[in-house]
Every structure is written in structure tokens, then in C-alpha cells.
């Protein structure tokens, strides 16, 4: 009898743990899980941005075929389009651009963009919106950035740029953190000698 109660309790804890892990991750090279039709106002903005940035690698692809999107929940009442390239021609060797747009009727407003390998829409919130965490790493170097909502768009609140010290097996780098009063503080992360 005690064994079955223990097993039931264990499964309940496992279910709670699985439900608590509701953060969504989007890899630069992975397809979105639940594709959404991208509004034409977003396609127009991104097509203009690509032309302005001088990206010509995708010139034979139609603008509607360049991107894919998924609706993501940022707050209890706010959904946004997470848009990313559907083709590698828009990406660098290691990162792809990603954008978040809020759409009000027919108007799309860009609220976040960067180039990254991985985006996580975190469970943690600030000002009612989920924080964003993006990570990119390759060949012993990388960065991690956390973004938070600041009334009209996302702003960077934490940034860590690092390189791997192979001899000491640790990361060296610069870390910038936003304090509660909004001040950004930077410090150097060094390896501790044994």
C-alpha cells in the first residue's frame, strides 16, 4: 500500500515539474512548431529591412517564402509573432536574425530583434511580460543576453560575452547587469587560480 502511494506521489511531482517547465525555445536552424500566417505588414517591414541591410543572398526567393512565424504568448493578454528566416540565406555562418512583432489590427510594431542561435521565452516576467534569453556560442566563445519589457519594447538587462580558457577550463569575459535603479554595471569575469 505504501509503495503505491509513493509511486502516485512521485508521478504527481513529475507532472508538476513538467508543467513548470513551460519556457519555449526556438533554435535558429529549427523549423517553428506551430507555423502561423505572417501578416503582410510584417513581410513588408522585413523585406525593406533586408534590402536596406544589403542582403542579396536570397534574391531568387519570394518575400513570403523567406520567413516563418509562430504566435507566442508574452503576457496574459499579449501574443506576438516570432518571425525567423525560413531559409539559411538570411543567416550568418552561426546565427540567424529573429524578430518579435505585436500586431494591432493591420499595423505591425517591431518590439525586439537580434541575431542568435537560440531564443528562449522565459517563464520569468518583468512588467507583466516574459523575459527573453538569447544565446549564441561557437568555437570556445559566445554570448548570453536577457531582455525585459520596458513599456513599449524589449531592452537588454543582462549581457555576458565570454571566451573559453581551455587550460583552466573556465570562461573569461565581460558581464553587464542592470540594477534595480536602471543603472548598468559591468565587471570582468576571470578564472580563479587553484
Amino acid at each position: 500500500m505504501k509503495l503505491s502511494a509513493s509511486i502516485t506521489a512521485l508521478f504527481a511531482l513529475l507532472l508538476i515539474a513538467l508543467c513548470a517547465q513551460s519556457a519555449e525555445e526556438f533554435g535558429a536552424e529549427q523549423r517553428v512548431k506551430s507555423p502561423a500566417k505572417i501578416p503582410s505588414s510584417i513581410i513588408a517591414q522585413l523585406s525593406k529591412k533586408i534590402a536596406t541591410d544589403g542582403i542579396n543572398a536570397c534574391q531568387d526567393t519570394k518575400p513570403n517564402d523567406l520567413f516563418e512565424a509562430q504566435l507566442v504568448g508574452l503576457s496574459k493578454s499579449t501574443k506576438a509573432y516570432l518571425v525567423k528566416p525560413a531559409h539559411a540565406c538570411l543567416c550568418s555562418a552561426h546565427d540567424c536574425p529573429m524578430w518579435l512583432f505585436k500586431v494591432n489590427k493591420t499595423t505591425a510594431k517591431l518590439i525586439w530583434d537580434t541575431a542568435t542561435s537560440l531564443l528562449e521565452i522565459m517563464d520569468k516576467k518583468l512588467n507583466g511580460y516574459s523575459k527573453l534569453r538569447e544565446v549564441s556560442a561557437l568555437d570556445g566563445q559566445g554570448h548570453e543576453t536577457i531582455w525585459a519589457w520596458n513599456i513599449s519594447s524589449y531592452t537588454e538587462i543582462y549581457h555576458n560575452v565570454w571566451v573559453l580558457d581551455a587550460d583552466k577550463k573556465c570562461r573569461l569575459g565581460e558581464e553587464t547587469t542592470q540594477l534595480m535603479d536602471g543603472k548598468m554595471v559591468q565587471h570582468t569575469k576571470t578564472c580563479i587560480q587553484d
Side-chain angles (χ1 to χ4, degrees), residues 120-135:
E120 176 187 356
I121 298 176
M122 301 173 71
D123 294 333
K124 296 178 182 177
K125 296 186 182 302
L126 185 64
N127 298 324
Y129 280 69
S130 295
K131 291 181 179 180
L132 307 176
R133 177 178 172 260
E134 58 102 357
V135 178

Side-chain angles (χ1 to χ4, degrees), residues 23-168:
E24 290 182 275
E25 288 187 354
F26 300 90
E29 297 177 2
Q30 298 170 332
R31 303 296 297 204
V32 295
K33 296 172 190 135
S34 303
K37 182 175 176 5
I38 305 172
S40 59
S41 57
I42 293 176
I43 296 290
Q45 285 186 49
L46 292 177
S47 296
K48 185 176 180 181
K49 181 169 180 48
I50 288 169
T52 303
D53 292 347
I55 299 173
N56 297 320
C58 300
Q59 60 189 351
D60 295 333
T61 308
K62 295 178 186 175
N64 285 345
D65 297 333
L66 282 175
F67 310 102
E68 62 180 4
Q70 180 169 326
L71 279 170
V72 294
L74 299 177
S75 72
K76 288 182 180 181
S77 61
T78 304
K79 291 222 178 259
Y81 286 88
L82 170 67
V83 183
K84 57 193 266 331
H87 297 281
C89 59
L90 292 176
C91 303
S92 70
H94 314 295
D95 296 330
C96 289
M98 291 188 192
W99 306 270
L100 278 172
F101 287 91
K102 279 176 63 176
V103 177
N104 183 8
K105 296 181 183 176
T106 59
T107 306
K109 180 183 180 201
L110 180 65
I111 58 172
W112 177 82
D113 74 302
T114 196
T116 189
S117 297
L118 179 72
L119 168 67
E120 176 187 356
I121 298 176
M122 301 173 71
D123 294 333
K124 296 178 182 177
K125 296 186 182 302
L126 185 64
N127 298 324
Y129 280 69
S130 295
K131 291 181 179 180
L132 307 176
R133 177 178 172 260
E134 58 102 357
V135 178
S136 189
L138 184 72
D139 296 332
Q141 61 184 3
H143 75 268
E144 173 187 20
T145 306
I146 297 178
W147 307 77
W149 187 251
N150 73 350
I151 302 174
S152 63
S153 64
Y154 277 93
T155 186
E156 186 178 291
I157 62 167
Y158 172 82
H159 188 73
N160 181 15
V161 179
W162 57 269
V163 294
L164 182 65
D165 183 330
D167 295 333
K168 296 179 184 175

